[in-house]
Amino acid sequence: MAEGSESSATEDGLERGRYFFCGIGGSGMLPLAQILHGLGDKVAGSDRSYDQGRTPDKFAWLKQNGFELFPQDGSGITSPDQVLIASAAIEDSVPEVAKARELGCERLTRAELLSELFNASGYSFAVAGTSGKSTVTGMLGWILQHEDHDPTIMNGAVMKNFTSPDNPFASAKVGSPNLFVSEVDESDGSIALYRPTVGVLLNVSLDHKSMEELRVLFGDYLKVSGCAVVNADNHEALALAEDCDPVVTFSAKSEDADIAVSQDTIEAGPLSISAAVMDNRDHSVWPLILPMPGMHNLSNALAAIAAASAAGIEVSRAVYALRTFAGLGRRFDVVGTTTNDITVIDDFGHNPEKCAATLRTLKASPGRVIAFFQPHGYGPLRQMGHELAETFVKELGPEDITIMCDPVYFGGTVDRSEGTERIIAMINEFGGKAEHLALRDDCGERILALAQPGDRIVIMGARDDTLSVFAKSIFDRLS
């Protein structure tokens, strides 16, 4: 393929040329760029974080592996034959968008391009829901890989089973283009673009859209899935599956679903959980030992097992594969434990359900919790601030403390009139204990001053890779 202008028809029938990603380092953009690059496409991009010197290791790795990087000043857009990949929310004033429009370049959203690849595959798994998508996608991908099916996997988090010294940023795996596993997003409505062979629905709860909008989006998604795999513990999800056929249900709380667990066999530890998995379709029982904690992760494992079984993989094989599931980056990711027993955890929790699952897992073991939360934007804070405040109050005890900085902001014209102070006031008003420090570095100093032996410090938030650096810096200083 000639650089910059030519395109060619590939075996899957899609026309490919030179793709330019605006925000190439983002959690949604990077894995898609990796997949296209792995399929032989010419991929370039820009990113605000690259210009600002944030996460330099990631961008150095991209350069070393053949991705061409440009400043976010429009200089990377030079030919009308380029295809600009940019979020629908990216403003027209962004130089790449303006230059692409001037040259007449085709523009696609991440979801539009991903859904083309996904729908063109011969067999596809989609994982949807308000929370748990990345973990289940990683689990399902690992089951398929363990069974030698060589899937292509598109994820929003680094999958530790697929990382290596050559690729520490494995949020994607390039395998057969005919077998595709991907999480699919409802927040921008793009879930409507996908036509999965197996469609998984984990849960339906408040996040970026109203419940009424979510019911329509998730309901339509299940209707176009060849087989629906649905969480019977979530009444909203289960209700949407009433008119679907075939359906495979799973449950971590009841023994009546197709894939369930024997309730008296559940053993939860601080870093793992185990249970006897029942396949009620053939009345078989298999021991699951999952090397990650929390009832929510037990539910995630059952979702992956159910989805694999819908494709003909024996439950016994899926259960066995998950014994070696290594987890995902920033999903209850234990940074380390100091010699005086202070544990630091890096976590992606950013909406009420995700935060609740993480905090609930922490509170299942003894010790005080210091919960740091960086809101992932001013808009989401307005949308779900009240529910987030209720979550921190409900899940944490009187000895625990919540610390928050201002929402993450990388520029743009977003309304910043309503900030973190509102949610902090609600937590304290509802009976919790919370503090607001505008700057994240000041929050770090406060956490260090508060930390005592036996504490668990959890760093939560989304849309900002430097949170992992922040978590490690706290652990290093405590050590």
Side-chain angles (χ1 to χ4, degrees):
M1 185 182 300
E3 180 174 332
S5 61
E6 295 180 7
S7 64
S8 61
T10 61
E11 289 181 3
D12 58 21
L14 295 174
E15 290 291 327
R16 296 214 184 93
R18 185 182 183 188
Y19 292 94
F20 191 96
F21 283 73
C22 185
I24 194 170
S27 61
M29 293 291 196
L30 178 59
L32 182 55
Q34 289 179 349
I35 289 172
L36 287 172
H37 188 264
L39 293 173
D41 289 306
K42 183 70 177 178
V43 179
S46 63
D47 200 289
R48 280 177 180 165
S49 293
Y50 174 61
D51 294 351
Q52 296 166 358
R54 301 160 67 90
T55 60
D57 292 348
K58 179 197 295 182
F59 294 108
W61 178 84
L62 282 167
K63 282 184 175 180
Q64 291 163 8
N65 284 274
F67 296 84
E68 200 171 359
L69 299 183
F70 293 88
Q72 201 167 76
D73 59 6
S75 60
I77 305 292
T78 58
S79 165
D81 295 306
Q82 289 175 274
V83 180
L84 176 66
I85 312 302
S87 164
I90 293 291
E91 296 158 338
D92 289 344
S93 59
V94 171
E96 278 78 5
V97 175
K99 191 68 175 293
R101 188 173 61 250
E102 176 188 326
L103 293 176
C105 298
E106 181 182 4
R107 176 178 173 179
L108 296 173
T109 65
R110 180 194 67 86
E112 287 169 340
L113 179 55
L114 172 60
S115 64
E116 286 184 9
L117 295 168
F118 182 91
N119 293 335
S121 66
Y123 204 100
S124 57
F125 296 84
V127 182
T130 316
S131 59
K133 293 188 292 291
S134 296
T135 299
V136 174
T137 299
M139 287 176 167
L140 178 55
W142 178 239
I143 291 170
L144 294 169
Q145 180 70 19
H146 191 270
E147 294 300 294
D148 297 322
H149 291 296
D150 190 30
T152 290
I153 309 169
M154 166 75 188
N155 209 332
V158 171
M159 300 175 286
K160 294 182 179 180
N161 285 99
F162 299 104
T163 59
S164 67
D166 292 333
N167 184 8
F169 304 102
S171 52
K173 174 193 173 293
V174 182
S176 168
N178 297 317
L179 179 59
F180 213 111
V181 184
S182 181
E183 61 171 302
V184 295
D185 192 10
E186 81 290 344
S187 65
D188 59 359
S190 63
I191 189 174
L193 299 172
Y194 300 88
R195 300 292 182 268
T197 310
V198 178
V200 182
L201 181 56
L202 304 174
N203 37 58
V204 182
S205 62
L206 186 68
D207 195 348
H208 297 280
K209 292 186 178 294
S210 70
M211 289 299 295
E212 290 74 18
E213 292 173 296
L214 292 174
R215 290 182 188 113
V216 172
L217 285 169
F218 286 130
D220 290 346
Y221 158 77
L222 289 181
K223 289 173 186 174
V224 300
S225 297
C227 176
V229 176
V230 179
N231 184 1
D233 296 331
N234 186 270
H235 71 276
E236 289 278 356
L238 192 60
L240 294 175
E242 287 180 356
D243 297 327
C244 297
D245 184 40
V247 178
V248 179
T249 59
F250 64 91
S251 171
K253 298 178 181 178
S254 166
E255 298 184 358
D256 297 329
D258 295 322
I259 303 296
V261 292
S262 174
Q263 294 297 299
D264 58 4
T265 66
I266 299 172
E267 293 187 13
L271 296 176
S272 65
I273 192 165
S274 63
V277 175
M278 305 185 298
D279 184 347
N280 284 318
R281 297 165 300 181
D282 64 9
H283 307 292
S284 59
V285 182
W286 308 98
L288 171 67
I289 302 171
L290 189 66
M292 54 197 312
M295 283 295 294
H296 65 294
N297 279 321
L298 177 59
S299 180
N300 289 337
L302 296 175
I305 293 165
S309 77
I313 294 175
E314 294 180 5
V315 170
S316 60
R317 299 297 304 166
V319 167
Y320 182 71
L322 288 179
R323 291 185 176 210
T324 52
F325 180 64
L328 279 72
R330 301 216 65 232
R331 270 57 175 186
F332 208 92
D333 198 351
V334 178
V335 179
T337 301
T338 67
T339 53
N340 61 343
D341 198 33
I342 300 174
T343 300
V344 178
I345 295 150
D346 186 18
D347 191 78
F348 190 67
H350 63 277
N351 65 31
E353 189 159 337
K354 287 184 173 73
C355 291
T358 296
L359 297 175
R360 206 170 292 141
T361 300
L362 286 166
K363 293 303 293 181
S365 301
R368 184 177 68 158
V369 173
I370 300 175
F372 168 81
F373 180 73
Q374 176 178 281
H376 63 290
Y378 286 87
L381 197 61
R382 281 192 298 275
Q383 172 80 8
M384 64 184 92
H386 188 274
E387 290 78 10
L388 275 168
E390 289 181 331
T391 296
F392 281 94
V393 172
K394 178 182 177 183
E395 303 299 339
L396 295 179
E399 74 280 7
D400 306 317
I401 186 167
T402 301
I403 298 174
M404 295 189 190
C405 64
D406 285 346
V408 64
Y409 175 69
F410 296 131
T413 58
V414 65
D415 178 7
R416 291 186 285 158
S417 60
E418 195 171 279
T420 305
E421 298 91 339
R422 171 174 165 260
I423 189 172
I424 291 295
M426 283 192 288
I427 291 174
N428 289 319
E429 179 185 342
F430 297 160
K433 187 191 302 182
E435 297 180 10
H436 168 239
L437 296 164
L439 300 178
R440 191 171 74 184
D441 286 348
D442 291 342
C443 291
E445 295 298 329
R446 179 61 174 152
I447 290 168
L448 291 168
L450 288 169
Q452 300 172 0
D455 283 349
R456 277 82 49 75
I457 299 169
V458 61
I459 305 301
M460 292 188 289
R463 295 183 184 169
D464 184 358
D465 289 347
T466 65
L467 284 166
S468 294
V469 178
F470 179 62
K472 189 175 186 307
S473 71
I474 287 176
F475 175 74
D476 289 344
R477 292 182 67 184
L478 287 169
S479 299

